[in-house]
Amino acid sequence: MTETAITRACVIGWPITQSRSPLIHGYWLKSYGINGRYTKEAIAADEVEAFLSMLDARGFVGCNVTVPHKIAAYQVAFLKDASATAVGAANTLWLENGQLACANTDTYGFMTNLAATAPAWSAYDGPVMVLGAGGSARAVVYGLLQAGRRDVRVYNRSLDRAEGLARQFGAGVSAHAWAARNAHARDAALIVNTTTLGMNGIGDPAIDFAVARSHCVAADLVYVPLETAFLRDAKDHGLQVVGGLGMLLHQAVPGFARWFGVTPDVTDDLYRLIARDIEGA
Ligand SMILES: NC(=O)c1ccc[n+]([C@@H]2O[C@H](COP(=O)([O-])OP(=O)(O)OC[C@H]3O[C@@H](n4cnc5c(N)ncnc54)[C@H](OP(=O)(O)O)[C@@H]3O)[C@@H](O)[C@H]2O)c1
């Protein structure tokens, strides 16, 4: 009897203990009965290039990359998908004919989760507000432009960063001062928090949802806690809300499909598993 080799993938970061990716991929490996393993690898900044260049030799078919290595991974990769190029950072890598390829699946994760949780969001015209101008804001802005939105307004504490983002994407994206966010909230069809405000219960983008239109959707990328003050406040004002955990689960799908050959489902059961882990942390 021949033994099939184990297919191995991993997530690299520094530190890496906090990553929930092994729980997500481990759940899918078990659900689909795949002979695979997904591990956490603590890789320091000065080891990233060497590690990625030797992925194959180390027995990995690919990996996820988390903070603080997403930009380094993008730079090391030879082939880069459109989202990785738009964001300038990568979170998913694999080998294509022996060459290191990368993608940024945050765009896919955000847009897929948005469509699954608030399918009516796209039916309404009106500006989309993106709070924050970091790496995840780029992934979100790129997805919104791909979805055909032509009035994406980026609000950031450091205005120059919002201006840089708007310049990069060009027509359809504008930069605004952080202080202007509440003056514009009344027109918005969608308000997305991509800042770190609300993470671990610290801070809040402080949006005045009382002025928002009834069909406005509020989406948060923060998923610890599962319900941030931003989401709770939007919900209290009768708005539809989209949490960050769904995005985390959906962004994992393309990597799993590439490495293990099965496109996995984001099920309620998986959501509950990771939600329990977050709540118990
Ligand atoms: N759900 C998911 O799958 C998913 C995926 C990716 C990221 N995320 C989450 O998204 C968040 C942002 O990630 P990122 O990679 O984009 O981070 P980042 O590149 O470090 O950007 C952080 C952003 O937060 C803003 N910010 C920080 N403190 C602030 C404050 N006190 N007041 C106003 N703005 C503040 C920063 O503004 P300045 O430019 O002025 O500093 C910047 O725009 C994190 O919480 C991350 O966990 C979730």
Side-chain angles (χ1 to χ4, degrees):
M1 197 171 75
T2 52
E3 209 179 298
T4 8
I6 294 184
T7 306
R8 293 175 64 216
C10 64
V11 54
I12 67 165
W14 188 269
I16 195 60
T17 41
Q18 82 294 347
S19 174
R20 292 189 167 86
S21 293
L23 211 50
I24 299 170
H25 291 280
Y27 171 89
W28 283 329
L29 286 171
K30 196 166 163 209
S31 304
Y32 295 102
I34 293 168
N35 189 19
R37 273 194 82 201
Y38 183 102
T39 51
K40 292 179 192 180
E41 306 292 327
I43 304 294
D46 59 357
E47 300 166 348
V48 173
E49 189 169 350
F51 182 90
L52 294 178
S53 312
M54 300 285 288
L55 255 188
D56 198 16
R58 287 167 193 266
F60 294 109
V61 293
C63 68
N64 282 128
V65 179
T66 187
V67 281
H69 303 327
K70 293 184 184 183
I71 294 174
Y74 171 76
Q75 288 167 344
V76 172
F78 183 74
L79 304 165
K80 306 161 201 273
D81 88 340
S83 182
T85 303
V87 180
N91 65 356
T92 304
L93 287 97
W94 67 97
L95 290 158
E96 212 164 293
N97 301 323
Q99 289 179 318
L100 192 63
C102 77
N104 189 312
T105 64
D106 280 342
T107 299
Y108 169 86
F110 175 74
M111 297 307 292
T112 309
N113 186 46
L114 180 62
T117 316
W121 82 274
S122 57
Y124 298 102
D125 291 331
V128 173
M129 293 175 60
V130 175
L131 309 174
S136 62
R138 280 175 202 275
V140 167
V141 168
Y142 178 66
L144 293 167
L145 291 174
Q146 291 292 102
R149 302 312 287 222
R150 287 295 171 261
D151 187 359
V152 179
R153 303 178 183 183
V154 179
Y155 301 77
N156 200 46
R157 179 179 60 176
S158 316
L159 181 59
D160 57 334
R161 230 174 151 195
E163 287 170 342
L165 194 155
R167 254 195 317 276
Q168 179 200 330
F169 286 102
V173 183
S174 54
H176 301 267
W178 183 242
R181 65 199 186 285
N182 274 320
H184 296 179
R186 67 181 69 246
D187 303 322
L190 171 69
I191 304 176
V192 189
N193 176 37
T194 77
T195 73
T196 50
L197 289 168
M199 201 158 79
N200 300 319
I202 299 163
D204 177 10
I207 294 296
D208 180 9
F209 289 109
V211 303
R213 294 194 289 176
S214 60
H215 63 253
C216 175
V217 172
D220 205 337
L221 267 58
V222 174
Y223 55 88
V224 181
L226 294 170
E227 187 179 74
T228 57
F230 171 83
L231 292 179
R232 197 165 44 249
D233 205 15
K235 207 155 91 179
D236 288 347
H237 285 90
L239 306 190
Q240 181 152 21
V241 298
V242 179
L245 177 54
M247 172 179 172
L248 180 76
L249 303 180
H250 283 287
Q251 66 76 32
V253 168
F256 190 92
R258 279 198 185 276
W259 308 320
F260 300 113
V262 173
T263 301
D265 288 323
V266 172
T267 59
D268 291 346
D269 193 37
L270 173 62
Y271 187 96
R272 278 192 297 270
L273 175 77
I274 310 301
R276 270 199 305 275
D277 187 66
I278 289 169
E279 282 164 343

